[in-house]
Amino acid sequence: MADKADPFSTAFGIPVGDDQNSMTAGERGPVLIQDVHLLEKLGHFDRERIPERVVHAKGAGAGGYFEVTADVTRFTKAKFLSTVGKKTDVFVRFSTVGGEKGSADAERDPRGFAVKFYTEDGNYDLVGNNTPVFFIRDPLKFPDFIHTQKRNPATNCKDPDMFWDFLSLTPESIHQVTILFSDRGTPASYRHMNGYGSHTFKWYNEAGKHCWVQYHFKTDQKIKNITREEAEAMRSKDPDHATRDLFQSIAKGEFPSWTLEMQILTPEQAKGFKWDIFDITKIWPHSEVPPVTVGRLVLNRNPENYFAEVEQAAFCPGNLVPGIAASPDKMLQARLFSYHDTHIHRLGPNYHLIPVNTPKHAPEHSYQRDGFMRTDANGGSGPNYWPNSFGGPAPDASAIEPSFDVTGDAGRFPFQFPNDDFIQAGNLYRKVMNEKDRANLVGNIASHLGGAHKRIQLRQTALFFKADRGYGERVAAALGLDLKQVERLAGMSNDDRRIATSETVYT
Ligand code: NDP
């Protein structure tokens, strides 16, 4: 913050003598264009807003560190994970997904959980959510899915018909829908929820041997949710409750922390695994792949300036350091492109020069030059091409990901086992939830799905029925639906169900 004694100046350091009275022609006359201080002030104000994120627009962030607590060097050569006790600076941004920048923190929505590790091998971004799965598993569906969570093109209001029409025609969403409509869909705060990498990632060690991994940041504050009624009240009482909670906790010295647990599968284990490990709508059961504790994430520093650090923070799943690589998960593959693309749109091609995004411990040495807002020395007088013989930075072959086998015909392939889509959602309902969880889940669904057309209610309830008969029966009862119709729809293929409940057929 500027010292109180610092003189007030324009953006260009020119002293400002009066910031209260615009320059006019005569005491009561029009304002002069000669008042360049006024023009600069208005011109900057007019441009204060940058495009808000198309998803995850509302967020809060904090800095801290990640500490390694177990030896994982047999799995990965990532330097920041190389020694027990090693600490790495991080910046974390939490968010809701569908709402605009001014929307309420207590909306029912997944929560973003994005971690930027400032490692000595450059920035590593793990861009996760508070749920281990996602609604869809093919990126071609992503823009459509997000449209349905936003506003109706005609009314500009949120629309339960759009929301449920799409989900009920996308059966692989049932697992994530069940989590979202449990009370975990309205966490009490950002401190009281878990973070998951959600995708499967590849780790590889010094010898080039790889394994497949999933990240789980388990909250040390314990899971705490609020009910639908409490969330409704919170949205009007304090739309920024989670943002405020994070800031105030850290300001008081109550630093939130998370324990990082990893699920790790060798390629041999992966071959015989019951679930498609690259299908983001599925988890790896803990009983089959027990999580191992590898570290701790602590947030102990509030941003000094929200816009500088949180609004301009840009995370990209493509920022992977040696020892960590992408998997063939189709959603991850698309995210490798889409996040960087979005940041270029929002922040410009040199967004990596914004301090929160700059690699703190591994300065950029590339041949990229110029572009809007190139605020550093732009490579100075050094060469701007490779190869060169003038001492420019040279690639280091040890940073190359080990080659891997890819076979098969190019094509557009659906996932293999669509019937499996209901098993894990059913397990969650039957085995993990207690009676209160189930009652709240059904109430939460009914209060939202009840706003959609009846034919859409029936189609979606058929999916709950397919996950678990009792689950479907309870939702049908809560909505006053005819169970026989639900059961009949549950017995159909997805396409037949769509046709049987389409606007032109259903009466
Ligand atoms: P486990 O009994 O070993 O684990 C259950 C998991 O479910 C725990 O991680 C728990 O998280 C979490 N959980 C508890 N309540 C809810 C809820 N309302 N919504 C979402 N997650 C919840 O079982 P399995 O590993 O065999 O998995 C069974 C089901 O649990 C899965 O089908 C999935 O729906 C859910 N689940 C599984 C996870 C996994 O990675 N295996 C992760 C999260 C959910 P916590 O310990 O923090 O309370």
Side-chain angles (χ1 to χ4, degrees):
M1 203 202 291
D3 190 287
K4 282 204 182 82
D6 284 346
F8 188 163
S9 78
T10 69
F12 301 95
I14 301 162
V16 171
D18 182 349
D19 189 51
Q20 297 293 295
N21 301 295
S22 305
M23 190 186 294
T24 51
E27 258 183 57
R28 310 288 302 274
V31 174
L32 295 180
I33 206 164
Q34 190 181 327
D35 189 347
V36 290
H37 171 54
L38 173 68
L39 300 189
E40 179 194 291
K41 193 168 178 178
L42 293 180
H44 194 277
F45 176 75
D46 294 346
R47 290 162 182 80
E48 273 182 12
R49 289 291 167 270
I50 59 174
E52 74 172 34
R53 292 165 168 87
V54 63
V55 282
H56 296 272
K58 175 82 187 288
Y65 64 88
F66 175 77
E67 181 174 6
V68 180
T69 57
D71 180 8
V72 288
T73 52
R74 64 190 185 286
F75 301 118
T76 176
K77 67 173 192 174
K79 287 188 188 143
F80 78 104
L81 296 172
S82 62
T83 327
V84 173
K86 185 165 185 169
K87 288 185 178 175
T88 299
D89 293 337
V90 299
F91 191 82
V92 174
R93 183 174 182 271
F94 304 107
S95 52
T96 51
V97 180
E100 296 85 1
K101 201 169 170 299
S103 59
D105 291 343
E107 290 292 346
R108 179 172 305 287
D109 211 357
R111 302 293 187 267
F113 192 114
V115 187
K116 187 181 291 297
F117 300 80
Y118 298 97
T119 89
E120 60 267 61
D121 265 339
N123 290 355
Y124 169 46
D125 293 345
L126 185 71
V127 196
N129 276 334
N130 71 328
T131 62
V133 293
F134 198 61
F135 298 89
I136 52 170
R137 56 190 163 210
D138 194 299
L140 264 179
K141 301 187 183 193
F142 187 79
D144 305 271
F145 163 62
I146 292 298
H147 289 167
T148 69
Q149 310 293 297
K150 297 241 177 209
R151 292 173 184 276
N152 179 297
T155 63
N156 200 36
C157 294
K158 294 281 175 96
D159 185 338
D161 276 329
M162 287 165 60
F163 186 100
W164 292 106
D165 194 27
F166 180 87
L167 292 175
S168 62
L169 293 170
T170 311
E172 67 268 30
S173 64
I174 187 73
H175 195 183
Q176 173 76 316
V177 165
T178 301
I179 295 176
L180 180 65
F181 279 84
S182 78
D183 285 342
R184 289 204 181 195
T186 48
S189 81
Y190 291 133
R191 293 181 299 129
H192 293 92
M193 62 184 204
N194 295 337
Y196 301 89
S198 304
H199 304 284
T200 294
F201 291 89
K202 184 195 281 178
W203 274 6
Y204 57 93
N205 63 16
E206 284 291 354
K209 279 198 70 173
H210 79 269
C211 55
W212 302 110
V213 300
Q214 296 219 333
Y215 294 72
H216 306 247
F217 286 101
K218 306 293 282 277
T219 173
D220 294 331
Q221 291 68 240
K222 299 215 165 65
I223 294 279
K224 195 168 153 198
N225 305 309
I226 50 178
T227 62
R228 176 174 82 256
E229 295 80 6
E230 287 167 335
E232 272 165 13
M234 186 60 86
R235 288 200 285 272
S236 48
K237 187 174 151 222
D238 183 1
D240 307 315
H241 86 279
T243 307
R244 197 182 312 283
D245 171 86
L246 181 69
F247 197 95
Q248 290 182 345
S249 305
I250 294 174
K252 275 191 286 190
E254 290 169 16
F255 302 141
S257 64
W258 287 260
T259 298
L260 175 60
E261 296 179 356
M262 300 296 300
Q263 286 185 294
I264 303 174
L265 274 178
T266 63
E268 296 71 39
Q269 288 171 314
K271 265 188 203 133
F273 200 58
K274 177 168 189 298
W275 302 99
D276 182 336
I277 64 166
F278 305 127
D279 175 353
I280 194 176
T281 67
K282 305 295 180 303
I283 53 85
W284 301 354
H286 290 152
S287 54
E288 288 166 55
V289 194
V292 286
T293 298
V294 310
R296 188 162 170 257
L297 175 73
V298 178
L299 297 182
N300 59 8
R301 185 183 66 76
N302 273 323
E304 282 194 14
N305 184 285
Y306 181 86
F307 181 86
E309 293 185 67
V310 187
E311 187 60 11
Q312 295 195 111
F315 300 83
C316 175
N319 289 341
L320 299 160
V321 291
I324 304 176
S327 75
D329 176 337
K330 294 183 200 183
M331 289 295 292
L332 173 60
Q333 292 280 320
R335 293 178 79 208
L336 301 178
F337 157 76
S338 206
Y339 281 65
H340 180 62
D341 190 49
T342 301
H343 301 321
I344 290 175
H345 164 64
R346 289 184 69 234
L347 303 166
N350 288 310
Y351 71 91
H352 60 291
L353 299 178
I354 297 169
V356 67
N357 302 323
T358 298
K360 285 188 194 178
H361 305 298
E364 177 198 8
H365 293 299
S366 79
Y367 294 99
Q368 264 91 264
R369 295 289 188 271
D370 308 352
F372 285 113
M373 301 306 295
R374 186 81 215 196
T375 55
D376 67 349
N378 194 32
S381 59
N384 59 358
Y385 58 92
W386 176 260
N388 68 72
S389 57
F390 290 97
D396 172 1
S398 73
I400 300 175
E401 178 190 349
S403 61
F404 53 93
D405 180 42
V406 180
T407 53
D409 297 335
R412 296 179 182 274
F413 303 107
F415 273 76
Q416 294 287 318
F417 307 110
N419 283 337
D420 286 354
D421 286 336
F422 301 94
I423 297 173
Q424 293 195 351
N427 285 343
L428 177 62
Y429 181 83
R430 280 183 296 270
K431 297 186 185 165
V432 178
M433 291 185 177
N434 60 31
E435 183 41 38
K436 182 166 179 289
D437 294 334
R438 285 191 280 263
N440 288 5
L441 169 73
V442 170
N444 295 341
I445 290 170
S447 82
H448 195 292
L449 180 56
H453 278 99
K454 187 144 180 218
R455 62 191 177 83
I456 296 175
Q457 293 181 26
L458 282 164
R459 195 200 295 142
Q460 179 64 40
T461 306
L463 301 188
F464 297 131
F465 189 92
K466 280 170 77 77
D468 182 276
R469 191 183 174 95
Y471 185 6
E473 283 172 357
R474 284 178 77 164
V475 174
L479 290 169
L481 299 175
D482 177 353
L483 190 61
K484 285 212 175 63
Q485 283 197 63
V486 170
E487 197 165 355
R488 191 175 64 83
L489 289 168
M492 294 180 183
S493 71
N494 195 35
D495 255 354
D496 287 347
R497 201 159 41 241
R498 178 177 57 79
I499 292 162
T501 53
S502 66
E503 201 173 19
T504 46
V505 172
Y506 188 84
T507 51

